Amino acid sequence: MVSPAIALAFIPLLLTVLIRCRFYFVLFYRAVLVRIWRDCVTGLSREERAYQYVLTHATPGDPDSILDAFDVWCSKVEFISTIGPKKGKVLDRMLMEQSPLTVLELGSHCGYTTVRIARSLPLGARLYSVEMDQRNAAIAEKIIRLAGFDDDTVELIVNPSDEVIPRLRSEYGLERLDFVFMDHWKKCYLPDLQMLEGTGLLGKGSMIVADNVLFPGAPKFLRYIRKSGLYEWKVHRATLEYSRGIRDGMAELVFQGIK
Amino acid sequence: MTRDSLITSENDVDIGLEFEGLEDEVDTFQEEHERERHRGKRRDGERAKKKKRGNGEGRKRASRAGQEDEKLQARGEKKGRRKRSSSDQQAEGREGDEAEQPTTKSSKAAKTRKNVKNEKTRKVEKEEKEDEADDEERNAKRKNKHGSNKKEEIVEEGNKHTVREKAGEVKKKKHKKVVETSSEKETSEEEDNEEEDSEEKEVRPETLTPEELEALKEAVDERKKLIQGLRGKPWAMKKKLVTLRESQEFVEKYEGALGKGKGRKLYAYKVMMTKKWMKFKRDFENFKTACIPWEMKIKEIESHFGSSVASYFIFLRWMYGINMILFCLTFGLVMVPEALMGRPYGTIPRKTVPRAEASSAMDFAVLWDFGGYAQYSVLFYGYYNNQRAIGWLKFRMPLSYFLVGVGTVAYSYMVVIRTMARNANESGVGDDNSFNFSWKMFTSWDYLIGNPETADNKFASITTIFKEAILEEQESRKDDNIHLTRFLRVLANFLVLCCLAGSGYLIYFVVRRSQKFALDGLENHTWWERNEVNMVMSLLGMFCPMLFDVISALENYHPRVALQWQLGRIFALFLGNLYTFIIALMDEINLKREEENIVKFNITTWEASLYNISASENSTAPPVTIQPADVPRGPCWETMVGQEFVRLIISDTMTTYITLLIGDFLRAVLVRFLNYCWCWDLEAGFPSYSEFDVSGNVLGLIFNQGMIWMGAFYAPCLPALNLLRLHVSMYLQCWAVMCCNVPQERVFKASGSNNFYMAMLLVILFLSTLPAIYTIVTIPPSFDCGPFSGKKRMFDVIQETLESDFPAWFSKVFSYASNPGLVLPFILLMVLAIYYLQSTSKSYKEANVDLKKKLQTQNEENKKKNKLAALKAQVDLEEARKAASPSAEHQKNNNASPDQEADEEEDRGRSQRMYHSKNGRSPPPPRHDGHLPATRAPVPRNYPHGNQGSAGYLPGFPRESEARMHRVPSLQRH
């Protein structure tokens, strides 16, 4: 029989763990518990609820207002994993510097990042957005159109990324990708990157940006780019979107080719 | 004057070639010095003469420059290159210049000679004539000037002889010009000169006259001074290096040349020996550094982890040194004499394992617990005999034991306090708050870091520090968040206090329960209940610091401050644990003493019965010999205390090492090798590698030392054990840090923390000597074990020694001295002395601060003065420009005043002037004071087509200055 005093001695440990991981607990509560509860109550999926909120709170045709509405919903109402305003600014800056003409986005989810990228593209640029999930793609489509981007600017491809990438050259007639943004399944980062290398769409100076490389994290991806030598890379350290205490990073890769 | 005249006469005589190069050199090196003297003389009220001289000199210079530059050209122009750019454009202005020459000043002439490259020979001849005509004027001038001037003359004489000499003169003249025009490029020019000179000339010191020797000596001294003060010069590094090399070469070359004949040899020998001695000293220093144990290891760690981690290891090493001394004392004065000269094992009961324990006395479990043979050995108090003197040396064992016990503690006090005082001196009085950002900017880099990763971390941390500091500054201006911070700090302290109180109560509760268990008999309880106290204490000791760490995140302190708070809190926690342990020990001592009383009574009855038996059986038979193992004996609480401490140390060491192996090494291995097949990044993510826990380790060390101090009296083996432990942990921890830890995310300097460790050590020392002294003073020693058995108190051994080993008068004196009537005044006196010393040190500190302030204000005043001078000079310049038109005569008068200005400024000190002109902070004044005379000359050159006089002067000025601006950097590039 363990004495109660020994059990009491563990209280500091418990407190420490609680305080250390409080952000993770909050995240768990917001992203999982609230979601399940709201799903049961409303009968709608999370993305649909977000769309409803945006529809009622944003000005149609104004990408900024739509993004703001998204940010408010994600930070105040529920949690949805987008790029978030802070890392979004970094992304904006990179796009401004690069001003790419052909952009590939892997994982558009419900269109927040798509709108964000499309907003800062130069005239005549084209964004291909790949989304695997049918329902999310429908929402994303609506959001993109709501923001005022037509088919010429943004093309939504509803297919898994590993099927889309080999066909990019043949079906979509792409010669070169200037900018690739990855925010889909973290496990797919590495295979998709290798596939992109294989297609030869990446030229010298093409930029690849991968979100959430530290949390939830894509260690294999990071290890690969560290070793491969094809890229100049750095990780922009930030916190997870809509959360203060969880550290996350965005990897920025510039394709250098074989020297 | 006498010297001057002497030189003049000498000048008339033909002068050998060999003089020249040397003099040139001397001139070059001495220029600063000479110029100052020369100016001083000039200021002595010979304005008119000066004007005249300047006039003549200027003309002469120009002429000579003409000749020489032509010659130079013929020779391939070794050094004319950089002048050419400017001279080309100014060449056309030559004619106008000549026309104006009578009105120009000396330095202007220096300038004009630059453009002579394309000059007509006609002009040269004419000037040559002029030169001759000027001879008389020159002689007059010579009386004012000396040194450099003289050399000039000499050189001029030689000028007529060879091309070589002329080249030399050109060099010198160039140098002269530099002196007069601007100080900015003087050093570079100097170097050029010197380089070329040293190539061309050869010195024969035997032929030197005393004056020249003197001058040479001065030049050498000048160079030496330059080398010494080079570090403080506001020059570019490259320039410094070049200057250093040049100067060193020069000193090397001419140092040996000084002195004559025998004296010279002696001098050279002396110089050589000094060098050798210096080298030897340096080597010896290196050797000494190499002799410091673990220095390389610690340096390596420092380079990887920053100085905060290194400070722990330095502390560990220091502790090792202390323990070495303690070990030497106890080992050499107590254990070895007892082992060698005391009665051997088994002769008396206290040196024998009792019969009951004999069967298991050699078991490992028993030995590990320091029972059995280990208990009845020199390792513990109980083994020592109360025999007053042992062996043929008549070694006073009990006295030695007592004095060593007192001495170790006294020595520790002394060392700790001395180190603290030294550290306090080193830290000095810095008002760190006044220049917050400057401090951060210039002092935040840790220069000992040699690892790129740590450097990255340090870089990042400095960046964040800056960000935070800026935010802090903003917030302090806003002045609203300070309350929140204060509130959070108070809250954090409150939480920590709650935590401490809770843990204290828990320990108290557990100890009470364990006493109840002990009364019941430990056999009736489970393992958990029996080890409850230890378990709870170690668990709390492990987890509470973690909680404190989390709480301290609230406070938002600088990591160094945070570390100190953390240390203080853990200190309080550990102290609670330690004192609980001591209280428990005290209870046990009391129990043992009760037991002892019973045993004492039993022994008397046992002896009586023994005697009775022997008496009744055979009254004439010899007394029965009893095996010492069979003799009943008391519990000997001293040995028990010693054993407890030794056990504690052992278990503590074990815990440390096991935590190290599991928490650091195993974790690192897992993180490293599981990372290949894990779903998230173990290295960057959750478990990661551990950081080195400075505060925990330091505290562990300090408390360990406290236990040593407490227990060393009852277990002489403790210092030896501790030495072993420290030795092992030095290697183990060095290895563990290098192999399994990552640098802290916020690398910070630990410059101030050393004294904090020391202060804690002092507190622990005091707190650990308290119980030891208490037991020594109040509790009577056991009756049948230890060196003090049979005495009422342990310190009676002193009295006994005084009575029996010293003459009677000594003990009398001692008894008088220990009389309270004497002791109390003495203590009073000591207190007064301490008070006096403290107040004086305080006043010194204040004086220091005052001096600092004074220095600051003086600096500011100097700056102001310089500014004023510059302004005034500028105003004068303006005036000069305006007045340039009226007449040449008038112009000269105007020139005089800024020149004087420059003189005065120069007199304020060379360094200041250098600062003024070299670092480019106030370009106008330096350009002005040297430049003003120079500007006048070249003007006509810029307007070559007969645009002489007032009209062309004013617009010409800016162009000229522009040209100069370009020239200056090009000069400095060399």
Side-chain angles (χ1 to χ4, degrees):
Chain A
M1 170 63 202
V2 177
S3 73
I6 293 177
L8 279 176
F10 278 95
I11 285 180
L13 179 68
L14 198 69
L15 282 176
T16 312
V17 170
L18 267 180
I19 297 172
R20 274 267 160 83
C21 306
R22 60 191 185 281
F23 292 112
Y24 294 93
F25 289 122
V26 169
L27 184 70
F28 176 76
Y29 167 75
R30 290 188 58 208
V32 179
L33 298 182
V34 171
R35 178 186 180 181
I36 291 170
W37 180 64
R38 296 286 293 180
D39 278 355
C40 293
V41 169
T42 57
L44 296 170
S45 77
R46 189 169 53 155
E47 289 76 16
E48 281 164 349
R49 288 197 297 276
Y51 172 65
Q52 277 186 351
Y53 182 88
V54 170
L55 202 60
T56 49
H57 287 79
T59 325
D62 180 7
D64 294 346
S65 133
I66 285 172
L67 292 182
D68 285 344
F70 248 114
D71 287 338
V72 169
W73 190 79
C74 292
S75 52
K76 295 274 157 60
V77 187
E78 273 183 59
F79 182 85
I80 209 165
S81 178
T82 61
I83 191 171
K86 279 186 184 163
K87 279 188 286 180
K89 279 211 179 92
V90 181
L91 181 67
D92 287 349
R93 185 173 54 78
M94 285 192 265
L95 283 165
M96 292 293 179
E97 281 168 9
Q98 194 85 353
S99 59
L101 288 177
T102 333
V103 181
L104 176 68
E105 188 198 6
L106 301 175
S108 47
H109 200 58
C110 47
Y112 177 90
T113 325
T114 319
V115 171
R116 187 135 211 152
I117 295 173
R119 186 177 69 151
S120 32
L121 283 184
L123 219 62
R126 196 166 161 80
L127 166 66
Y128 298 88
S129 190
V130 179
E131 174 58 48
M132 189 176 82
D133 189 280
Q134 202 80 40
R135 291 203 302 173
N136 285 353
I139 306 277
E141 176 91 31
K142 284 186 215 164
I143 296 262
I144 293 162
R145 301 300 168 239
L146 190 68
F149 297 111
D150 56 2
D151 254 342
D152 291 336
T153 319
V154 180
E155 179 164 348
L156 197 68
I157 305 165
V158 187
N159 246 335
S161 58
D162 51 344
E163 286 177 24
V164 175
I165 291 169
R167 291 185 295 153
L168 275 177
R169 194 187 279 275
S170 56
E171 254 176 56
Y172 299 94
L174 288 180
E175 284 305 313
R176 179 196 149 98
L177 285 168
D178 296 320
F179 196 93
V180 179
F181 182 74
M182 294 185 180
D183 195 10
H184 52 313
W185 292 108
K186 313 306 164 204
K187 282 194 176 169
C188 301
Y189 280 10
L190 179 59
D192 284 354
L193 182 73
Q194 283 166 335
M195 221 181 280
L196 278 172
E197 284 168 15
T199 56
L201 285 170
L202 298 175
K204 188 168 164 42
S206 294
M207 187 182 276
I208 298 150
V209 175
D211 191 22
N212 301 105
V213 289
L214 296 186
F215 182 88
K220 280 177 190 160
F221 176 74
L222 285 181
R223 219 169 295 141
Y224 173 74
I225 57 173
R226 226 172 273 162
K227 275 191 292 192
S228 77
L230 289 172
Y231 307 95
E232 259 179 24
W233 65 283
K234 59 181 163 191
V235 174
H236 296 271
R237 288 180 186 271
T239 56
L240 190 71
E241 53 272 8
Y242 315 117
S243 160
R244 274 188 308 115
I246 303 173
R247 288 190 304 165
D248 188 17
M250 206 160 64
E252 176 197 334
L253 289 70
V254 178
F255 189 79
Q256 297 294 318
I258 297 154
K259 281 159 200 161
Chain B
M1 271 313 152
T2 51
R3 198 181 142 199
D4 278 314
S5 58
L6 188 133
I7 287 159
T8 331
S9 62
E10 193 182 73
N11 199 15
D12 292 337
V13 188
D14 201 352
I15 293 161
L17 191 80
E18 60 270 22
F19 271 128
E20 189 199 87
L22 183 75
E23 274 161 3
D24 243 355
E25 297 249 1
V26 169
D27 184 18
T28 315
F29 306 129
Q30 267 189 310
E31 51 90 8
E32 203 60 55
H33 175 71
E34 275 168 3
R35 188 155 44 115
E36 244 167 74
R37 276 201 290 174
H38 156 102
R39 280 185 200 272
K41 258 200 178 168
R42 250 163 59 181
R43 220 177 329 122
D44 280 347
E46 294 179 333
R47 294 281 166 217
K49 237 180 188 175
K50 192 186 109 190
K51 258 186 249 164
K52 211 173 164 195
R53 170 174 54 84
N55 199 351
E57 187 186 57
R59 212 179 305 156
K60 176 201 79 196
R61 280 228 180 138
S63 65
R64 240 183 295 133
Q67 294 170 1
E68 279 138 29
D69 271 24
E70 283 220 329
K71 296 244 168 80
L72 210 65
Q73 208 177 1
R75 280 179 58 217
E77 289 200 38
K78 225 172 178 175
K79 60 231 160 247
R81 189 136 312 170
R82 62 169 171 270
K83 289 185 306 207
R84 228 172 272 175
S85 56
S86 59
S87 58
D88 277 336
Q89 69 178 42
Q90 288 161 3
E92 308 100 313
R94 186 63 187 150
E95 250 128 47
D97 189 18
E98 273 162 54
E100 258 203 359
Q101 215 163 41
T103 61
T104 51
K105 276 197 64 182
S106 61
S107 41
K108 163 205 140 188
K111 209 134 211 230
T112 59
R113 73 161 184 73
K114 274 184 301 188
N115 55 15
V116 285
K117 205 184 59 180
N118 311 335
E119 210 178 319
K120 288 124 200 156
T121 37
R122 169 193 60 80
K123 198 213 72 197
V124 177
E125 275 155 22
K126 175 195 148 201
E127 297 223 330
E128 198 121 52
K129 270 175 224 153
E130 253 180 33
D131 204 0
E132 244 113 66
D134 273 344
D135 242 352
E136 278 185 11
E137 234 175 58
R138 245 186 290 138
N139 278 343
K141 170 193 72 187
R142 219 175 283 139
K143 266 146 205 157
N144 298 334
K145 267 179 147 192
H146 50 66
S148 65
N149 210 355
K150 156 201 100 188
K151 268 141 223 154
E152 201 177 335
E153 298 307 319
I154 295 164
V155 172
E156 226 201 308
E157 295 299 321
N159 205 3
K160 277 144 199 163
H161 301 299
T162 54
V163 175
R164 225 168 192 239
E165 282 169 62
K166 273 167 194 169
E169 197 197 3
V170 168
K171 264 171 256 148
K172 195 198 61 182
K173 281 188 93 190
K174 187 166 58 175
H175 155 71
K176 261 268 171 269
K177 174 210 76 187
V178 165
V179 169
E180 307 239 338
T181 49
S182 126
S183 56
E184 266 168 49
K185 43 193 166 45
E186 75 189 356
T187 330
S188 52
E189 291 243 351
E190 250 174 67
E191 287 151 27
D192 285 1
N193 292 346
E194 195 211 323
E195 238 171 329
E196 285 155 28
D197 281 334
S198 57
E199 278 168 26
E200 289 175 22
K201 314 286 152 130
E202 198 173 299
V203 187
R204 279 178 239 155
E206 301 85 29
T207 57
L208 291 178
T209 58
E211 282 81 16
E212 270 118 30
L213 269 180
E214 196 61 32
L216 188 60
K217 211 168 186 177
E218 257 173 45
V220 168
D221 282 348
E222 195 74 23
R223 280 275 143 150
K224 275 183 183 165
K225 241 182 255 168
L226 185 69
I227 291 171
Q228 265 179 355
L230 195 66
R231 203 171 282 181
K233 293 263 159 57
W235 300 342
M237 203 63 210
K238 212 173 167 186
K239 189 175 167 188
K240 275 189 194 178
L241 283 176
V242 169
T243 316
L244 180 69
R245 211 186 52 229
E246 301 293 343
S247 320
Q248 274 173 347
E249 263 171 24
F250 178 77
V251 171
E252 191 102 339
K253 198 170 167 191
Y254 293 113
E255 211 169 31
L258 295 175
K260 264 187 182 171
K262 253 190 187 173
R264 191 176 147 231
K265 261 183 200 159
L266 191 70
Y267 185 81
Y269 181 72
K270 242 161 65 184
V271 168
M272 198 185 73
M273 282 319 285
T274 325
K275 268 179 197 159
K276 285 258 161 71
W277 174 240
M278 295 278 274
K279 192 172 176 322
F280 171 74
K281 270 207 290 198
R282 203 182 308 149
D283 285 348
F284 189 67
E285 285 293 318
N286 286 347
F287 175 71
K288 268 203 311 204
T289 318
C291 281
I292 300 172
W294 302 303
E295 183 71 3
M296 288 316 291
K297 260 184 199 296
I298 291 175
K299 283 275 178 280
E300 199 184 345
I301 286 169
E302 191 159 27
S303 74
H304 279 77
F305 291 87
S307 53
S308 64
V309 174
S311 75
Y312 165 72
F313 284 97
I314 290 167
F315 186 61
L316 181 63
R317 187 177 59 188
W318 184 82
M319 212 66 129
Y320 186 83
I322 300 285
N323 275 287
M324 186 67 105
I325 304 245
L326 299 190
F327 167 73
C328 286
L329 279 176
T330 47
F331 195 72
L333 293 177
V334 174
M335 288 165 81
V336 168
E338 175 68 25
L340 290 182
M341 302 184 284
R343 291 198 184 177
Y345 173 81
T347 46
I348 47 172
R350 68 183 68 177
K351 296 196 176 194
T352 324
V353 179
R355 187 70 70 196
E357 295 170 26
S359 56
S360 67
M362 212 42 206
D363 292 0
F364 179 74
V366 174
L367 284 181
W368 183 248
D369 230 14
F370 286 89
Y373 284 109
Q375 186 183 346
Y376 297 96
S377 68
V378 281
L379 302 183
F380 290 104
Y381 171 93
Y383 181 80
Y384 293 83
N385 197 4
N386 62 345
Q387 200 179 351
R388 225 170 60 77
I390 55 170
W392 53 273
L393 274 176
K394 298 282 173 216
F395 191 78
R396 305 291 195 267
M397 193 62 217
L399 180 71
S400 161
Y401 196 100
F402 187 80
L403 287 184
V404 163
V406 173
T408 49
V409 171
Y411 171 76
S412 310
Y413 267 111
M414 206 182 67
V415 166
V416 170
I417 287 174
R418 211 180 52 192
T419 316
M420 271 182 86
R422 204 171 40 216
N423 284 353
N425 277 348
E426 270 169 20
S427 67
V429 272
D431 40 353
D432 287 11
N433 301 324
S434 46
F435 303 106
N436 194 6
F437 283 96
S438 305
W439 278 112
K440 283 199 170 67
M441 173 73 90
F442 294 112
T443 63
S444 46
W445 189 252
D446 192 340
Y447 282 94
L448 300 164
I449 293 174
N451 185 28
E453 200 181 326
T454 319
D456 281 352
N457 275 359
K458 183 70 192 168
F459 178 78
S461 84
I462 290 174
T463 326
T464 35
I465 283 170
F466 264 102
K467 277 183 201 161
E468 281 164 9
I470 291 167
L471 277 182
E472 228 168 74
E473 195 72 20
Q474 280 172 350
E475 259 159 32
S476 71
R477 297 230 170 108
K478 257 190 263 161
D479 196 67
D480 51 4
N481 250 12
I482 192 85
H483 296 300
L484 180 66
T485 319
R486 268 183 204 151
F487 169 73
L488 282 178
R489 283 175 187 178
V490 170
L491 181 72
N493 280 317
F494 177 72
L495 288 178
V496 168
L497 272 183
C498 285
C499 189
L500 282 177
S503 73
Y505 180 73
L506 196 61
I507 291 174
Y508 174 75
F509 174 77
V510 170
V511 168
R512 286 283 302 277
R513 240 162 72 108
S514 78
Q515 281 169 353
K516 206 172 71 190
F517 292 154
L519 285 180
D520 288 356
L522 282 175
E523 291 73 29
N524 308 332
H525 297 277
T526 59
W527 186 86
W528 290 105
E529 281 169 334
R530 264 181 285 148
N531 291 292
E532 210 176 41
V533 179
N534 281 339
M535 289 281 289
V536 166
M537 268 166 67
S538 55
L539 281 178
L540 283 177
M542 216 146 66
F543 297 143
C544 279
M546 286 160 70
L547 189 60
F548 294 161
D549 201 21
V550 167
I551 289 173
S552 71
L554 270 182
E555 296 175 307
N556 203 14
Y557 277 124
H558 182 276
R560 203 184 300 138
V561 184
L563 176 70
Q564 292 186 353
W565 275 96
Q566 177 80 352
L567 280 172
R569 283 163 188 166
I570 304 174
F571 187 82
L573 183 77
F574 281 13
L575 205 64
N577 292 357
L578 196 67
Y579 262 68
T580 327
F581 174 76
I582 289 165
I583 287 165
L585 215 57
M586 284 296 199
D587 284 345
E588 209 156 340
I589 288 174
N590 286 335
L591 281 178
K592 290 267 175 186
R593 284 185 56 215
E594 278 166 24
E595 198 185 324
E596 193 182 285
N597 284 337
I598 297 166
V599 169
K600 238 182 189 169
F601 178 73
N602 283 348
I603 283 178
T604 35
T605 51
W606 175 77
E607 272 178 345
S609 67
L610 206 66
Y611 177 75
N612 283 342
I613 290 166
S614 57
S616 64
E617 270 179 3
N618 194 349
S619 54
T620 52
V624 221
T625 51
I626 308 158
Q627 281 295 108
D630 293 329
V631 177
R633 58 191 74 175
C636 195
W637 60 266
E638 291 96 339
T639 301
M640 186 270 297
V641 170
Q643 268 176 316
E644 285 294 325
F645 274 107
V646 171
R647 276 177 212 150
L648 204 64
I649 293 288
I650 294 287
S651 74
D652 192 47
T653 313
M654 286 295 127
T655 322
T656 316
Y657 293 164
I658 288 170
T659 326
L660 196 80
L661 284 181
I662 292 178
D664 286 357
F665 182 66
L666 215 64
R667 180 171 161 190
V669 167
L670 285 181
V671 166
R672 178 80 179 77
F673 293 105
L674 271 187
N675 203 19
Y676 290 114
C677 47
W678 204 258
C679 44
W680 71 78
D681 199 346
L682 290 171
E683 285 180 352
F686 163 55
S688 166
Y689 298 107
S690 52
E691 286 177 1
F692 188 78
D693 176 19
V694 178
S695 56
N697 277 302
V698 165
L699 278 172
L701 206 59
I702 286 174
F703 274 84
N704 180 52
Q705 194 60 39
M707 283 189 255
I708 301 296
W709 279 321
M710 250 192 262
F713 192 73
Y714 298 117
C717 64
L718 265 182
L721 272 180
N722 197 34
L723 202 68
L724 201 69
R725 176 209 153 114
L726 290 180
H727 200 95
V728 172
S729 70
M730 187 59 150
Y731 283 103
L732 199 65
Q733 284 192 310
C734 275
W735 164 77
V737 159
M738 292 302 283
C739 134
C740 345
N741 287 356
V742 286
Q744 277 148 327
E745 234 171 282
R746 295 183 72 180
V747 183
F748 57 93
K749 280 191 294 188
S751 53
S753 46
N754 264 338
N755 233 15
F756 193 71
Y757 299 163
M758 285 297 152
M760 274 195 310
L761 198 62
L762 189 68
V763 172
I764 274 294
L765 181 54
F766 178 71
L767 290 177
S768 58
T769 43
L770 265 190
I773 288 174
Y774 175 79
T775 49
I776 288 171
V777 172
T778 57
I779 304 177
S782 306
F783 73 97
D784 66 341
C785 68
F788 312 115
S789 56
K791 296 190 179 62
K792 261 193 92 181
R793 292 278 183 267
M794 289 178 193
F795 54 82
D796 285 345
V797 71
I798 302 240
Q799 216 167 351
E800 186 196 83
T801 312
L802 279 176
E803 275 165 13
S804 51
D805 287 347
F806 285 92
W809 61 267
F810 191 85
S811 65
K812 219 178 224 172
V813 168
F814 191 80
S815 69
Y816 283 139
S818 61
N819 187 2
L822 258 175
V823 169
L824 278 181
F826 182 71
I827 289 175
L828 205 67
L829 194 72
M830 220 158 69
V831 167
L832 284 179
I834 288 171
Y835 177 75
Y836 169 75
L837 287 178
Q838 213 211 341
S839 55
T840 43
S841 83
K842 212 186 226 171
S843 66
Y844 283 147
K845 239 180 213 172
E846 274 169 13
N848 251 351
V849 171
D850 279 352
L851 281 177
K852 232 183 213 173
K853 271 185 196 163
K854 229 180 220 172
L855 268 182
Q856 262 181 13
T857 47
Q858 208 171 8
N859 267 347
E860 274 164 23
E861 247 172 53
N862 275 352
K863 260 187 220 164
K864 261 186 211 161
K865 252 190 214 166
N866 284 354
K867 236 180 227 172
L868 270 181
L871 273 179
K872 204 181 164 203
Q874 217 156 20
V875 169
D876 284 343
L877 180 67
E878 293 281 321
E879 268 177 33
R881 255 197 264 169
K882 275 176 198 161
S885 42
S887 73
E889 211 50 47
H890 186 60
Q891 196 182 0
K892 254 186 215 167
N893 284 342
N894 265 354
N895 291 341
S897 60
D899 215 24
Q900 188 185 358
E901 195 70 49
D903 290 349
E904 273 166 11
E905 205 168 23
E906 215 127 281
D907 282 342
R908 235 174 271 145
R910 183 191 167 155
S911 62
Q912 198 181 318
R913 191 182 61 78
M914 295 293 270
Y915 165 78
H916 203 179
S917 54
K918 292 265 152 95
N919 67 356
R921 263 185 39 163
S922 47
R927 208 174 61 198
H928 161 235
D929 50 281
H931 183 52
L932 175 71
T935 52
R936 208 144 304 123
V939 171
R941 265 178 271 153
N942 286 339
Y943 288 85
H945 305 300
N947 215 359
Q948 315 131 332
S950 54
Y953 193 79
L954 208 56
F957 182 72
R959 261 181 73 181
E960 168 54 22
S961 73
E962 237 173 53
R964 279 186 55 80
M965 288 296 274
H966 290 304
R967 224 165 59 86
V968 170
S970 76
L971 276 173
Q972 273 172 339
R973 219 171 293 141
H974 285 267

